[in-house]
Amino acid sequence: AGALVSIGCVCTIILLFMFELYSFMTPDIESQLLVDDPAKHLNNIDVHLRMTLPYMSCDYLGLDLQDQLGRHEVGSADVRKDPTPDGGGCHLSAKFTIN
């Protein structure tokens, strides 16, 4: 009788393991697209960004803005790049709004 209980437990453990493995290997993919009404959200958030990169030249720096849908907002940021006093780095400052 003890052997039957042990065999039943091992079979149950194997069955549960197989179900968990199958559930792990086949994930559910869910895609969402939310469309907000712009009339409801008139408030924009002002963003002021200041970074100092001590070892990177200003020639290699830029700022790209991209929304959740993947659209690039070209020219919507006021970006200023100034070299550091030692000349080896760059101060990057930007102002833009997000909604």
Side-chain angles (χ1 to χ4, degrees):
L4 290 176
V5 172
S6 296
I7 292 172
C9 289
V10 168
C11 289
T12 303
I13 290 172
I14 290 173
L15 184 66
L16 289 173
F17 177 75
M18 295 302 286
F19 281 134
E20 288 295 323
L21 183 65
Y22 176 76
S23 175
F24 177 74
M25 297 300 280
T26 56
D28 294 333
I29 298 173
E30 182 178 325
S31 179
Q32 291 184 9
L33 176 63
L34 302 174
V35 179
D36 287 338
D37 184 11
K40 291 181 185 177
H41 307 288
L42 296 177
N43 298 334
N44 291 337
I45 299 171
D46 292 329
V47 178
H48 301 275
L49 178 68
R50 287 188 299 184
M51 296 187 330
T52 300
L53 301 162
Y55 301 110
M56 182 169 284
S57 173
C58 290
D59 297 334
Y60 302 112
L61 292 178
L63 181 67
D64 288 337
L65 300 177
Q66 185 175 356
D67 65 5
Q68 288 180 342
L69 297 177
R71 295 182 301 223
H72 285 275
E73 302 291 332
V74 178
S76 62
D78 178 26
V79 179
R80 194 171 127 196
K81 299 184 280 188
D82 298 318
T84 56
D86 64 356
C90 187
H91 296 292
L92 177 75
S93 61
K95 294 179 186 177
F96 55 93
T97 59
I98 58 173
N99 46 348

